[in-house]
Amino acid sequence: MPILILAWKSLLNRRVTALLTMLSIALSVTLLLGVERLRTEARASFASTISGTDLIVGARTGPVQLLLYSVFRIGDATNNISWRSYQDIAELPGVAWSVPLSLGDSHRGYRVLGTTQDYFERYHYGRDHPLAFAKGKPFSDLFDAVLGAEVATKLGYRVGDAIIVAHGAADVSFARHDDKPFRVSGILAPTGTPVDQTVHVSLEAIEAIHLGWEGGAPTPGQAISAQEARAADLTPETITAALIGLESKIATFQVQRAINTYPQEPLLAILPGVALSQLWSLIAMAENALRVVSAFVVLVGLVGMLTALLTSLNERRREMAILRSVGARPWHIFALIMGETGALMLLGMGSGLGLLYAMLLAAQPLLQSAFGISITLGAPPPGEWLLLASLLAAGVLVGAIPAYLAYRRSLIDGLSIRL
């Protein structure tokens, strides 16, 4: 105990150097744990881009491709599903609910999604967060549209504004549905998911705007007005994909097998969590790069502490000699340096943890709204405790170097300078 008190007072005597060393360790710990926490939470949030949905159904293709175009609005479907097949799937035993999705059109670069009002109730994200309306309400009229948060913010739309949907992904003048404008009926709250970048309309609206269109362009002499479209049969012939909810998780594989072996049409049913894991594995290289960067930052912090301790040894030769002259044994000198190292490491790690939680608390709302990353502020998980223990062990090993040198030089080297 006296050695620890002596180590503490020695640090106080060199408080500026000790404070800078502790600060470098604290920043290293903050970056190391911050990257680890963000990586873990980003992975969890990525896996929860869609939650509460048991299966995603589309035309037969790769699982990742189906996930990309149905959830992330990236790419296009290789084929569509017939409405009859969708109805058969919705009536399968064990299916509790289904939401059809129809993609293909756009508005000023943002994808337009045709769906039903059930979408706003059934689509969940993050840790089972439902969609919420920041303004307005779901579409009720045939030509109502609900905007994602980013669409409304970037394009400056408000409830009641009129928008024109373009045919296909490219917004060119000759392929716009100018004769059937939509009215913004609602704006969704930010989710940090692809929902923010989507314009939502009804399935019937998708059919209505394509009446009189053949081959991606209006058919000459067959223009159908908005009023005429309201009176037409707007039952969709095909959809792009469907979200499926089951009555019981136990029936997941049974329903998936029934869809994958559907005899009338080649279909594919995927589990969103499995497909998201496959997609995440494709970007694991960036994840590993972050780990390497944080590891190098920690290494720099430890080297900084080693440099500070080694530099101080030359200044403390006389101090060590005096300690030996009053009865301190060589291992006392070794323990003194190790005590200082331990104190610096523990203080730096504690400060780093406090700084990390303060930063996470401040950035939590921004991360949730901008990137959909939900950060929990509970106790560090076991993985982080393991990192901290490894860092403490590495710090002790680094501190053993100046401690050993001080042990060897303590008496003779210190006295010889004054002689």
Side-chain angles (χ1 to χ4, degrees):
M1 184 60 71
I3 291 293
L4 295 179
I5 296 174
L6 186 61
W8 176 248
K9 289 186 175 179
S10 177
L11 286 177
L12 290 180
N13 187 49
R14 296 176 289 108
R15 59 179 65 87
V16 175
T17 305
L19 186 62
L20 291 176
T21 305
M22 186 192 73
L23 182 62
S24 69
I25 296 171
L27 292 175
S28 302
V29 170
T30 301
L31 183 63
L32 176 67
L33 297 188
V35 168
E36 181 65 17
R37 182 69 64 92
L38 284 178
R39 185 189 67 80
T40 306
E41 298 292 348
R43 184 168 191 163
S45 297
F46 181 81
S48 302
T49 300
I50 179 171
S51 65
T53 297
D54 296 303
L55 292 171
I56 299 175
V57 180
R60 190 163 296 169
T61 182
V64 172
Q65 186 179 2
L66 173 56
L67 180 77
L68 285 175
Y69 70 71
S70 63
V71 176
F72 291 94
R73 323 283 190 249
I74 298 174
D76 295 305
T78 54
N79 208 345
N80 285 334
I81 310 173
S82 71
W83 183 249
R84 179 61 189 169
S85 298
Y86 166 72
Q87 289 181 311
D88 288 346
I89 293 169
E91 293 171 0
L92 283 174
V95 174
W97 55 265
S98 62
V99 175
L101 307 176
S102 182
L103 291 160
D105 294 323
S106 64
H107 172 70
R108 298 176 64 180
Y110 292 100
R111 303 299 292 267
V112 174
L113 173 67
T115 185
T116 63
Q117 289 199 9
D118 289 341
Y119 177 85
F120 304 109
E121 179 185 350
R122 299 296 187 183
Y123 188 96
H124 289 195
Y125 66 98
R127 290 183 171 83
D128 208 25
H129 294 303
L131 297 178
F133 277 81
K135 296 176 182 175
K137 59 181 181 179
F139 43 71
S140 55
D141 184 74
L142 180 61
F143 295 110
D144 278 352
V146 173
L147 306 184
E150 182 179 318
V151 180
T153 303
K154 293 283 183 66
L155 302 182
Y157 285 133
R158 295 179 296 181
V159 174
D161 287 350
I163 64 172
I164 301 296
V165 172
H167 188 79
D171 192 356
V172 291
S173 59
F174 59 83
R176 288 178 182 161
H177 303 282
D178 301 278
D179 58 332
K180 301 179 182 68
F182 285 82
R183 182 188 67 88
V184 177
S185 66
I187 297 172
L188 293 170
T191 64
T193 70
V195 173
D196 295 347
Q197 300 142 17
T198 305
V199 176
H200 306 81
V201 301
S202 67
L203 272 182
E204 292 77 11
I206 294 291
E207 292 298 315
I209 60 178
H210 290 104
L211 289 175
W213 282 58
E214 296 291 340
T219 305
Q222 295 187 12
I224 298 177
S225 68
Q227 290 303 319
E228 291 172 331
R230 290 178 183 276
D233 179 11
L234 299 177
T235 303
E237 295 182 1
T238 61
I239 59 172
T240 307
L243 308 179
I244 303 294
L246 302 178
E247 295 173 353
S248 170
K249 302 291 183 186
I250 300 175
T252 300
F253 295 107
Q254 181 182 352
V255 175
Q256 185 186 27
R257 185 167 53 252
I259 295 173
N260 288 341
T261 57
Y262 183 69
Q264 280 74 33
E265 190 174 355
L267 300 176
L268 176 68
I270 62 170
L271 280 69
V274 175
L276 282 165
S277 298
Q278 293 175 353
L279 183 58
W280 183 267
S281 65
L282 297 177
I283 56 176
M285 188 178 294
E287 185 182 359
N288 292 332
L290 283 176
R291 281 177 162 174
V292 170
V293 170
S294 58
F296 271 106
V297 170
V298 170
L299 180 62
V300 169
L302 291 176
V303 170
M305 182 182 71
L306 176 62
T307 304
L309 290 173
L310 287 176
T311 304
S312 69
L313 284 184
N314 288 330
E315 302 169 354
R316 299 171 65 188
R317 286 179 179 173
R318 185 166 179 78
E319 175 190 340
M320 302 301 174
I322 293 174
L323 286 174
R324 289 297 306 273
S325 68
V326 296
R329 303 176 69 83
W331 69 268
H332 287 141
I333 304 300
F334 183 87
L336 173 65
I337 302 298
M338 292 302 295
E340 293 179 9
T341 302
L344 286 173
M345 288 300 301
L346 290 175
L347 287 172
M349 291 163 60
S351 302
L353 266 178
L355 182 60
L356 171 67
Y357 276 85
M359 292 174 64
L360 290 178
L361 182 63
Q364 194 178 31
L366 177 64
L367 290 172
Q368 175 67 52
S369 61
F371 304 105
I373 300 176
S374 178
I375 301 290
T376 55
L377 295 177
E384 292 183 10
W385 283 120
L386 183 61
L387 283 176
L388 288 173
S390 302
L391 184 60
L392 181 60
V396 169
L397 286 176
V398 168
I401 298 173
Y404 177 72
L405 292 176
Y407 169 85
R408 293 288 302 271
R409 298 175 182 173
S410 56
L411 180 59
I412 298 176
D413 192 33
L415 292 176
S416 63
I417 289 177
R418 295 296 179 184
L419 290 175

